[in-house]
Amino acid sequence: AQRVTQPEKLLSVFKGAPVELKCNYSYSGSPELFWYVQYSRQRLQLLLRHISRESIKGFTADLNKGETSFHLKKPFAQEEDSAMYYCALSGGSYIPTFGRGTSLIVHP
Amino acid sequence: GAGVSQSPRYKVAKRGQDVALRCDPISGHVSLFWYQQALGQGPEFLTYFQNEAQLDKSGLPSDRFFAERPEGSVSTLKIQRTQQEDSAVYLCASSLASEGTGELFFGEGSRLTVL
């Protein structure tokens, strides 16, 4: 079975502070990992995926197979980063499994 | 269309009523997923279609839930004899990929409230 754990329901930071949203997964094979974001009154959308190895809106995420983690990081948070962030895993069944989400609030 | 379209956006049903939720995916997208999202939770998988074939329905919570995609495009999720625990946002997502490894494009969701 595949599982995604996002331990923090809420993360509150000030503008300019570093941000790390945690994601741990449980899957015995080679996972495909994603971060999705939902801004206020918008639909859920892809932020980044680990195979792309790219930085989107200043966010990066590195797959750590040893720690089974895929934490999302940004060195300097902006107010427009305030949103719900969901980590998702596609494993052997290829059915994406989502975590419960972390609400990021960036204060001015 | 510009994206995945879901209707109705909001539905209030009395307990015991049947409801039907529609999803119009992006044209040409092979894969279609339905998820259920309860308040404060992440999306929970319900069912998956590849074209018109329902390849996985393991997430449907009971036999009151039924989904179809007869022509490999529009999909309908039907809930019979609704219960209060069915209250949630129902999300539809489509993907160009034939399996769930591609980017999912989500609709805005259908919020169901069962009284």
Side-chain angles (χ1 to χ4, degrees), chain A:
Chain A
Q2 55 192 54
R3 180 175 293 176
V4 175
T5 302
Q6 293 181 252
E8 305 136 332
K9 280 193 83 170
L10 172 66
L11 189 60
S12 182
V13 301
F14 284 99
K15 177 182 171 182
V19 167
E20 181 179 67
L21 290 89
K22 291 184 167 51
C23 173
N24 289 91
Y25 66 90
S26 173
Y27 178 62
S28 56
S30 291
E32 296 265 1
L33 284 150
F34 307 81
W35 276 98
Y36 281 82
V37 61
Q38 187 167 27
Y39 301 103
S40 179
R41 287 184 288 278
Q42 293 187 28
R43 63 187 69 194
L44 205 52
Q45 59 187 287
L46 180 68
L47 179 63
L48 55 80
R49 52 193 302 185
H50 90 272
I51 61 171
S52 301
R53 295 185 171 274
E54 56 190 347
S55 172
I56 304 292
K57 299 185 179 183
F59 284 97
T60 59
D62 291 317
L63 176 59
N64 185 323
K65 290 189 177 181
E67 295 183 359
T68 59
S69 68
F70 188 57
H71 302 327
L72 184 68
K73 300 177 184 180
K74 184 169 183 176
F76 307 103
Q78 303 299 314
E79 288 177 71
E80 55 266 29
D81 296 329
S82 296
M84 281 294 299
Y85 290 81
Y86 295 93
C87 182
L89 160 70
S90 244
S93 71
Y94 299 112
I95 304 296
T97 299
F98 287 79
R100 67 171 180 175
T102 298
S103 176
L104 174 63
I105 299 175
V106 182
H107 300 281

Side-chain angles (χ1 to χ4, degrees), chain B residues 5-16:
Chain B
S5 178
Q6 291 188 246
S7 61
R9 291 288 315 282
Y10 303 93
K11 175 70 180 177
V12 178
K14 291 184 179 178
R15 190 161 56 97

Side-chain angles (χ1 to χ4, degrees), chain B residues 16-33:
Chain B
Q17 276 186 327
D18 297 349
V19 299
L21 308 176
R22 176 189 167 106
C23 173
D24 206 334
I26 293 172
S27 178
H29 276 199
V30 169
S31 295
L32 186 146
F33 300 81

